[in-house]
């Protein structure tokens, strides 16, 4: 069976993925699947830097505004929906372009991750659940941090299911990050992975500017509207960078300036973690955007690379 070419355009937050993805889609007859864990939510537009209808320029986008903010969206849910959309795109004689920076989402397509199977020890899981009930999520999240700090930083403490799963993995003698080393490539797809990057100081300036723009465009009002619609701060969606800090400002925990600075700081830290994640993709092609003064040359170079990897005629 011939593998489906799957072009993946990724990179850290604010690096410049959106514009290039649109230009690629126009040139190569592509539809876009978003691999962004925040842009899947309706009503969360400003804080997620969601691509606008105007920016889409008529290109079909999937997995944007997919679910309400109180929907418990998992990696397995992303994988299931993304797979369906990939086949739909191919059926329409187009090429699927996956773009976004959520590493676990990308892994669920690149690797053969079967979420229906689990080698988890049921007795261990039950004991962890009892421990959670007895000692609380703060205790369990701290326990995870001692065993696997990277996983604890990535998994919010309110996501109890993932905290318990990560603890299961750790107590079996592994770390969550080890799974990327054990996974086999997905045999259905031919992944063509493109990572965009910039000089670290330039990237951080772009992040700071993006946060300033979010504030100017009305992030505070967006958060207030979400709260008025009944979406509470304990939801996973509301724990996204930008949202949780504004909520803490509204609750009096942060000053206005503190909230903005923490959003910038945590966004920079997130970008650093993303870059560490993407370096695991051994076959990825990296493009330094600071090395291009002309966006047309960048576009042509990326297209040339894609065409070398697979026959797109």
């Amino acid at each position: 069976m011939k593998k489906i070419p799957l072009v993946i355009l990724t990179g850290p937050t604010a690096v410049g993925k959106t514009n290039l993805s649109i230009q690629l889609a126009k040139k190569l007859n592509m539809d876009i699947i978003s691999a962004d864990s925040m842009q899947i939510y309706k009503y969360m537009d400003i804080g997620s830097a969601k691509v606008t209808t105007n920016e889409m320029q008529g290109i079909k986008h999937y997995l944007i505004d997919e679910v309400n903010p109180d929907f418990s969206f998992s990696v397995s849910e992303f994988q299931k929906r993304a797979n369906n959309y990939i086949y739909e795109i191919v059926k329409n004689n187009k090429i699927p372009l996956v773009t976004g920076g959520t590493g676990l989402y990308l892994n669920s397509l690149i690797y053969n991750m079967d979420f229906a199977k689990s080698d988890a020890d049921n007795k261990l899981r039950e004991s962890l659940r009892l421990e959670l009930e007895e000692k609380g999520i703060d205790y369990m999240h701290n326990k995870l941090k001692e065993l696997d700090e990277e996983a604890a930083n990535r998994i919010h403490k309110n996501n109890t299911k993932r905290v318990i799963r990560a603890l299961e993995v750790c107590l079996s003698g592994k770390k969550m990050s080890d799974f990327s080393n054990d996974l086999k490539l997905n045999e259905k797809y031919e992944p063509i992975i493109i990572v965009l990057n910039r000089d670290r100081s330039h990237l951080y300036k772009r992040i700071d500017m993006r946060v300033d723009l979010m504030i100017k465009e009305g992030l505070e009002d967006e958060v207030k509207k979400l709260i008025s619609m009944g979406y509470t701060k304990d939801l996973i969606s509301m724990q996204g960078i930008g949202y949780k800090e504004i909520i803490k400002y509204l609750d009096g925990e942060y000053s206005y300036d503190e909230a903005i600075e923490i959003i910038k700081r945590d966004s920079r830290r997130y970008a650093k973690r993303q870059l560490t994640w993407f370096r695991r993709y051994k076959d990825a092609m990296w493009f330094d955007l600071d090395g291009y003064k002309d966006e047309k040359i960048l576009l042509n170079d990326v297209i040339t690379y894609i065409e070398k990897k697979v026959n797109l005629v």
Side-chain angles (χ1 to χ4, degrees):
M1 182 180 171
K2 188 179 178 183
K3 292 183 180 182
I4 295 171
L6 190 66
V7 180
I8 296 171
L9 180 69
T10 191
T13 185
V15 75
K17 297 183 291 292
T18 299
N19 182 56
L20 183 59
S21 68
I22 301 295
Q23 300 309 313
L24 278 175
K26 287 164 69 177
K27 290 282 188 180
L28 296 176
N29 191 32
M30 294 170 155
D31 282 343
I32 293 174
I33 297 172
S34 170
D36 186 295
S37 62
M38 291 303 297
Q39 294 192 11
I40 56 168
Y41 296 113
K42 297 176 182 176
Y43 320 121
M44 306 184 85
D45 303 332
I46 298 170
S48 69
K50 190 178 292 174
V51 58
T52 65
T53 303
N54 285 339
E55 286 173 332
M56 289 180 185
Q57 297 183 41
I59 299 297
K60 176 74 174 174
H61 281 65
Y62 295 87
L63 287 172
I64 286 180
D65 288 337
E66 186 85 358
V67 297
N68 288 331
D70 56 357
F71 187 93
S72 183
F73 202 89
S74 62
V75 181
S76 60
E77 185 71 25
F78 169 83
Q79 183 194 55
K80 180 178 72 177
R81 296 191 188 209
N83 283 331
N84 289 338
Y85 291 142
I86 288 167
Y87 284 107
E88 182 180 323
I89 291 167
V90 172
K91 190 177 177 182
N92 292 331
N93 295 314
K94 292 193 171 186
I95 299 157
L97 170 60
V98 178
T99 185
T102 302
L104 283 170
Y105 284 8
L106 299 178
N107 274 21
S108 75
L109 299 177
I110 295 168
Y111 300 108
N112 186 25
M113 297 173 70
D114 188 351
F115 292 98
K117 296 178 181 177
S118 175
D119 58 359
D121 183 331
N122 288 328
K123 288 183 180 178
L124 174 59
R125 182 179 296 177
E126 188 59 31
S127 70
L128 287 168
R129 284 175 177 165
L130 290 171
E131 192 174 5
L132 169 66
E133 192 174 331
E134 179 185 338
K135 297 183 178 178
I137 190 59
D138 285 326
Y139 173 85
M140 300 301 280
H141 196 261
N142 285 333
K143 182 173 183 173
L144 175 60
K145 193 168 186 177
E146 290 176 7
L147 294 168
D148 188 349
E149 188 172 2
E150 184 184 346
N153 288 336
R154 195 170 65 246
I155 301 170
H156 192 272
K157 68 178 182 181
N158 287 349
N159 195 339
T160 54
K161 185 184 288 187
R162 285 191 63 203
V163 171
I164 293 299
R165 174 62 183 139
L167 281 167
E168 282 181 50
V169 172
C170 290
L171 292 171
S172 69
K174 290 194 172 188
K175 293 185 177 183
M176 289 295 282
S177 56
D178 291 337
F179 277 108
S180 61
N181 299 322
D182 295 339
L183 294 169
K184 293 181 180 178
L185 289 171
N186 188 336
E187 294 180 355
K188 295 183 295 185
Y189 305 135
E190 185 68 48
I192 302 155
I193 307 171
I194 295 158
V195 183
L196 305 181
N197 196 13
R198 292 182 184 273
D199 173 78
R200 188 67 59 90
S201 62
H202 187 195
L203 178 64
Y204 286 176
K205 284 178 184 176
R206 286 176 62 91
I207 289 170
D208 290 350
M209 286 170 62
R210 172 180 277 186
V211 173
D212 288 336
L213 183 61
M214 286 176 179
I215 298 300
K216 186 178 179 181
E217 289 181 340
L219 178 59
E220 181 182 344
D221 288 338
E222 182 170 89
V223 174
K224 286 177 178 176
K225 184 178 179 182
L226 287 161
I227 293 168
S228 72
M229 294 170 73
Y231 297 116
T232 56
K233 63 183 179 182
D234 60 315
L235 294 171
I236 298 301
S237 61
M238 297 290 266
Q239 298 300 324
I241 297 172
Y243 292 95
K244 67 178 183 294
E245 292 83 5
I246 294 297
I247 289 171
K248 288 183 177 181
Y249 155 66
L250 294 172
D251 286 347
E253 191 172 334
Y254 292 155
S255 71
Y256 186 69
D257 289 341
E258 277 178 325
I260 294 170
E261 284 308 308
I262 292 169
I263 294 170
K264 290 178 179 179
R265 182 199 70 190
D266 288 357
S267 296
R268 293 191 297 265
R269 288 177 176 176
Y270 177 52
K272 189 176 179 181
R273 292 196 302 272
Q274 286 177 301
L275 287 165
T276 299
W277 184 282
F278 302 142
R279 288 190 188 100
R280 296 175 186 150
Y281 299 144
K282 302 301 181 187
D283 294 329
M285 181 68 177
W286 288 64
F287 286 86
D288 177 11
L289 271 60
D290 290 326
Y292 289 91
K293 292 182 179 178
D294 189 332
E295 290 184 1
K296 289 181 181 177
I297 297 174
L298 168 66
L299 179 63
N300 288 335
D301 282 359
V302 174
I303 289 172
T304 300
Y305 174 73
I306 293 170
E307 290 177 338
K308 277 183 181 176
K309 295 291 288 184
V310 65
N311 181 11
L312 296 182
V313 178

